[in-house]
Amino acid sequence: MIQKKICLLGSFSVGKTSLISRYVNSLFSEKYLTTVGVKIDKKQLTHDGNELSLIIWDIAGEDDFTNIRTAYLRGMAGYIIVIDGTRQNSYDVALSIHEMVKQHVGELPMVFALNKADLKPHWQVDGQHIRPLEQFGYPVLETSAKLDNGVADIFLALIKQWGSNHD
Amino acid sequence: MTVGTPDVVQLRRLLFGKDYDELLALKEQFEQSDKYSASVANIISEALTLRGSQDNSLSDALAPTIENALTQSICNNPKRFADVLYPVMGPAIRKSINQALSEALETLNQVLENSLSLRSWKWRFDAWRSGQTYAKVALLNTLVYQVEQVFLIHRESGLLLQHVASPHAISKDPAMVSGMLTAIQDFIADSFAVNQTDTLRTLSLGELTVLLEHGPHAVLAMVVRGTVPADLPNLLMETAANIHRQYAPAFKAFNGNTEAFTATENLLADCLKSQQQHVQKRPPWLALLVLLSLVGAASYLLYQHYQQLAQQEAEAKQAQQQVLQTLNERLRELQTHTSELQNSVTTLSDQQRQQLRQQTQQAQQLTTAAQTISKLTQQIEASTYPFEAGKADVGLDDPMLLQLGKTIRELIQAAHQTGKTPQILIAGNADDSGTNDINQKLAELRAENLRDALVRGGVPAFAVVAYSAKQAGQPATLQKNERSTSYRVTLF
């Protein structure tokens, strides 16, 4: 059994908790409940014949990224930065968080998740925003926790990185 | 050191002198395994003893090897171990059985106490009220403390390395709990800006206390319910130190794979301690009481059963005696009857004899009477009275006539005895002289005269009938050609 700690980061209300809830419990709720501090979930799966247990830290989104408690990030094997496609601000926060994590923890496998793909007509994040993200060299995937689109893919994209360049 | 030209060697010798040779000898000792083994063999026992006296690390280090060796040895030759263990197995089994029995009694007592005592009903009510199981409420009320769970947590990532829980504890997903415990610590350390080296040591919530021991690589967390005893943090510390000592390489190599820490389970399990409330050790009164009641009830039932049996037996005997008595009475009655019967029979036979005698007598009498009658009849029928020719007079004093009268009376008497009445026919005869008419009349007259004479002489009139023999219809035997009368006796 291999255990990995991963963190979901991002601005508030981008859908971190919803993505985890969809991934772990196959549930989605329209109701918004803000996460206080941190919430931890577990997802067990088999990848390439290996039993894998993901300990998913759902870290409360903050407006001011500098306030993210870096202590929560210790020991993580990778992270997912969630961006709300309908909010330009969440994209800016994502970039800041990415920079901050690199400074505090170092280069780690990560994935950018462009959430709320079900509301694509209202998106403020477009191709010109996405291209710089792709230049970081990490997967950038569109997701919808509501429609269960690409949710498992973001976690799988992270797991694959451990197989290749991170142990 | 040994490598080099002879000059260099020479130079070394000059520099180190005698020490150089000693150094070479020492080096040789380390390099040649047999020599090294010999030197270690000299001190290995002392070294082990010395280390053993310092701490328990030797036991921890040797335990897996010894376990493997023992397993291997038992697999190879089980009989040898069976032989070795034989002398200790018997007493151990006996002891175990004794203990099991006494524990069973104790358990029975506890069950009874739990189900009967007022306290237990209160607990039941509490359990019902709080929606918990009775067992849990009872446990909580009797425990001083119990270590419910022990977590071995990777300090950096908060990943769970190992987890043990006591049987009664309710534990949620330990991997998530482990993460939250780490997050809480991070939160507190971060929020209150304490010194970076300070760590959270205790969490407390109601009856629950979480003791945390931080090592360089792992955090050992112990969830305790109840009052934490003073020695528990020490135990936690020792265990944490022990784990760090034994698993230092595993911690360094940790990449999320927890298999390397599987063996820590035993060390963690040693921490699952608990202490029951000191209950004054009482003899198991309730259990004994119930047992005694059972025994008492059983003996009472048995007693009753035997009593009933005895009563039945007595009744049977009484009935038998009654039957015997009745039978005896019957027998006596029968005997009485028999004797009566015998008496009757005797009487009857007496009577019979008497009757017989009487009958015999009567028969004899009859015979005698018949003989007499016969004799008298012959006498009468033989007698005759001679009349003078042509006359019919009868002399009353004639001896023959008197004799005849007497004989007839005797006959009548004798005939009476046999219940009969004689009748004597007097037939008058006449000789052939004279005419038939005269003769007939003469014969008739002679018979009548004779009859009259006899009646006068005392013979009853009914017994004699007179007629003429010459009369028609008379039997010829009576007709005689003589002047006489003849007689014929008939008995009615």
Side-chain angles (χ1 to χ4, degrees):
Chain A
M1 168 77 76
I2 309 264
Q3 289 189 69
K4 295 286 185 190
K5 170 182 173 179
I6 61 173
C7 295
L8 263 80
L9 306 168
S11 180
F12 73 93
S13 191
V14 293
K16 300 180 290 295
T17 307
S18 292
L19 283 170
I20 294 168
S21 179
R22 169 61 77 184
Y23 184 55
V24 175
N25 302 317
S26 304
L27 293 174
F28 178 78
S29 169
E30 295 277 5
K31 201 172 165 188
Y32 176 65
L33 292 167
T34 184
T35 305
V36 177
V38 64
K39 184 173 164 293
I40 292 166
D41 273 296
K42 189 175 87 168
K43 174 77 176 179
Q44 281 183 302
L45 67 155
T46 309
H47 179 71
D48 284 349
N50 293 321
E51 289 277 318
L52 198 57
S53 181
L54 297 180
I55 308 297
I56 306 166
W57 289 48
D58 177 8
I59 294 166
E62 306 231 357
D63 251 348
D64 185 353
F65 63 87
T66 52
N67 284 348
I68 280 196
R69 297 172 190 275
T70 52
Y72 292 149
L73 308 178
R74 281 191 295 118
M76 67 179 177
Y79 58 98
I80 294 166
I81 292 179
V82 185
I83 299 160
D84 179 355
T86 63
R87 275 162 50 214
Q88 164 84 44
N89 174 254
S90 72
Y91 171 79
D92 301 334
V93 172
L95 290 177
S96 310
I97 290 173
H98 185 51
E99 196 57 37
M100 183 270 292
V101 172
K102 275 201 282 189
Q103 279 180 15
H104 280 86
V105 188
E107 284 279 350
L108 278 180
M110 66 85 60
V111 174
F112 285 108
L114 295 166
N115 199 26
K116 306 196 185 177
D118 50 295
L119 300 173
K120 198 133 191 207
H122 306 285
W123 270 26
Q124 294 174 356
V125 176
D126 53 20
Q128 65 171 12
H129 294 105
I130 296 170
R131 266 189 297 281
L133 290 181
E134 286 171 342
Q135 281 168 4
F136 284 118
Y138 293 107
V140 181
L141 299 168
E142 288 184 11
T143 58
S144 167
K146 186 175 182 178
L147 303 176
D148 195 8
N149 281 341
V151 178
D153 296 338
I154 51 170
F155 291 94
L156 200 62
L158 198 60
I159 292 164
K160 279 177 180 166
Q161 291 178 61
W162 294 326
S164 57
N165 60 8
H166 180 85
D167 190 22
Chain B
M1 273 168 97
T2 52
V3 187
T5 59
D7 294 341
V8 176
V9 173
Q10 188 69 35
L11 183 64
R12 283 178 183 151
R13 283 194 187 285
L14 285 170
L15 282 171
F16 298 114
K18 261 188 182 178
D19 292 341
Y20 184 65
D21 288 335
E22 284 172 6
L23 275 171
L24 281 180
L26 203 59
K27 187 167 177 280
E28 193 185 353
Q29 197 179 344
F30 278 110
E31 280 176 346
Q32 291 184 2
S33 62
D34 53 339
K35 281 190 178 177
Y36 187 46
S37 302
S39 65
V40 171
N42 287 335
I43 51 112
I44 191 163
S45 308
E46 289 81 354
L48 289 174
T49 313
L50 190 64
R51 189 62 205 258
S53 64
Q54 287 169 358
D55 56 28
N56 288 329
S57 62
L58 204 57
S59 311
D60 299 334
L62 289 177
T65 315
I66 290 172
E67 274 173 19
N68 286 338
L70 277 174
T71 311
Q72 186 80 30
S73 182
I74 291 171
C75 287
N76 290 343
N77 191 359
K79 191 176 177 301
R80 191 174 163 200
F81 270 83
D83 290 344
V84 171
L85 288 175
Y86 179 74
V88 292
M89 289 296 271
I93 290 169
R94 275 196 294 277
K95 197 176 165 189
S96 162
I97 290 171
N98 278 337
Q99 197 176 346
L101 282 175
S102 64
E103 274 174 8
L105 191 67
E106 191 64 37
T107 310
L108 176 65
N109 195 49
Q110 273 179 1
V111 166
L112 289 169
E113 268 189 354
N114 286 343
S115 45
L116 298 177
S117 70
L118 200 67
R119 187 181 58 171
S120 76
W121 284 105
K122 187 180 168 293
W123 290 349
R124 268 174 213 288
F125 177 73
D126 287 346
W128 170 75
R129 198 167 45 85
S130 59
Q132 289 173 313
T133 60
Y134 171 74
K136 195 173 176 204
V137 174
L139 192 70
L140 295 182
N141 279 290
T142 50
L143 273 178
V144 173
Y145 78 91
Q146 182 178 31
V147 179
E148 292 196 337
Q149 302 180 65
V150 183
F151 297 83
L152 180 65
I153 303 166
H154 189 242
R155 183 166 180 172
E156 190 71 4
S157 62
L159 293 175
L160 182 72
L161 301 176
Q162 186 57 275
H163 172 252
V164 291
S166 72
H168 299 292
I170 300 165
S171 65
K172 299 196 172 157
D173 191 321
M176 284 159 66
V177 174
S178 160
M180 280 314 289
L181 271 175
T182 311
I184 290 166
Q185 292 172 70
D186 292 341
F187 172 77
I188 290 171
D190 203 36
S191 302
F192 301 103
V194 288
N195 191 333
Q196 282 299 307
T197 53
D198 287 344
T199 51
L200 184 69
R201 300 187 66 87
T202 313
L203 289 171
S204 191
L205 177 72
E207 297 183 309
L208 276 179
T209 308
V210 182
L211 298 178
L212 297 156
E213 180 60 36
H214 296 258
H217 302 293
V219 177
L220 200 60
M222 191 186 249
V223 182
V224 188
R225 190 179 289 276
T227 313
V228 179
D231 57 346
L232 217 50
N234 288 335
L235 174 70
L236 192 66
M237 209 189 306
E238 281 170 18
T239 310
N242 210 347
I243 289 170
H244 274 89
R245 192 166 50 240
Q246 285 185 45
Y247 293 89
F251 282 122
K252 278 176 190 157
F254 181 67
N255 65 345
N257 193 341
T258 54
E259 270 172 27
F261 299 94
T262 313
T264 54
E265 190 177 350
N266 292 333
L267 289 167
L268 298 193
D270 289 343
C271 298
L272 289 177
K273 292 185 179 298
S274 69
Q275 189 191 337
Q276 300 268 335
Q277 262 175 14
H278 182 68
V279 185
Q280 195 185 353
K281 193 74 182 169
R282 288 178 302 178
W285 289 120
L286 265 170
L288 286 176
L289 196 70
V290 167
L291 279 179
L292 277 177
S293 313
L294 284 175
V295 170
S299 14
Y300 177 69
L301 286 174
L302 264 177
Y303 170 75
Q304 252 191 345
H305 179 66
Y306 281 116
Q307 282 284 95
Q308 219 167 354
L309 278 183
Q311 204 176 343
Q312 280 174 352
E313 214 169 316
E315 279 172 6
K317 207 177 265 184
Q318 208 174 349
Q320 271 181 347
Q321 278 177 345
Q322 274 179 347
V323 170
L324 271 176
Q325 210 170 346
T326 317
L327 282 173
N328 278 335
E329 279 171 13
R330 285 277 173 82
L331 199 61
R332 269 198 294 277
E333 277 174 23
L334 277 175
Q335 280 172 346
T336 318
H337 281 307
T338 314
S339 56
E340 277 172 7
L341 275 172
Q342 277 175 342
N343 287 341
S344 310
V345 168
T346 317
T347 317
L348 276 174
S349 49
D350 283 352
Q351 282 175 348
Q352 273 179 340
R353 267 197 296 274
Q354 214 168 351
Q355 275 181 349
L356 206 62
R357 218 167 22 238
Q358 278 175 350
Q359 280 172 354
T360 317
Q361 276 177 353
Q362 278 176 351
Q364 276 175 350
Q365 279 175 350
L366 281 174
T367 315
T368 319
Q371 281 173 350
T372 315
I373 288 166
S374 171
K375 200 175 86 187
L376 291 170
T377 305
Q378 279 176 355
Q379 280 178 4
I380 291 166
E381 287 181 348
S383 64
T384 183
Y385 187 83
F387 289 97
E388 287 177 22
K391 289 189 179 174
D393 304 329
V394 177
L396 291 175
D397 301 326
D398 189 275
M400 276 178 72
L401 194 66
L402 294 173
Q403 181 61 41
L404 183 61
K406 191 184 163 196
T407 309
I408 288 169
R409 283 197 297 274
E410 281 176 5
L411 177 68
I412 291 167
Q413 205 177 344
H416 269 302
Q417 285 180 354
T418 62
K420 287 179 176 174
T421 308
Q423 194 173 48
I424 297 134
L425 293 170
I426 304 169
N429 276 311
D431 58 12
D432 295 339
S433 56
T435 62
N436 276 346
D437 288 345
I438 297 168
N439 282 348
Q440 196 174 343
K441 283 181 184 169
L442 192 64
E444 199 176 321
L445 194 63
R446 282 176 181 166
E448 282 174 7
N449 286 347
L450 195 70
R451 189 196 69 155
D452 292 343
L454 283 171
V455 171
R456 278 183 212 146
V459 176
F462 65 84
V464 282
V465 179
Y467 61 92
S468 169
K470 299 289 183 190
Q471 213 172 341
Q474 290 299 320
T477 51
L478 291 174
Q479 294 178 15
K480 291 174 181 174
N481 185 15
E482 59 182 20
R483 301 175 304 269
S484 65
T485 50
S486 55
Y487 315 92
R488 187 173 172 198
V489 178
T490 315
L491 292 170
F492 298 102

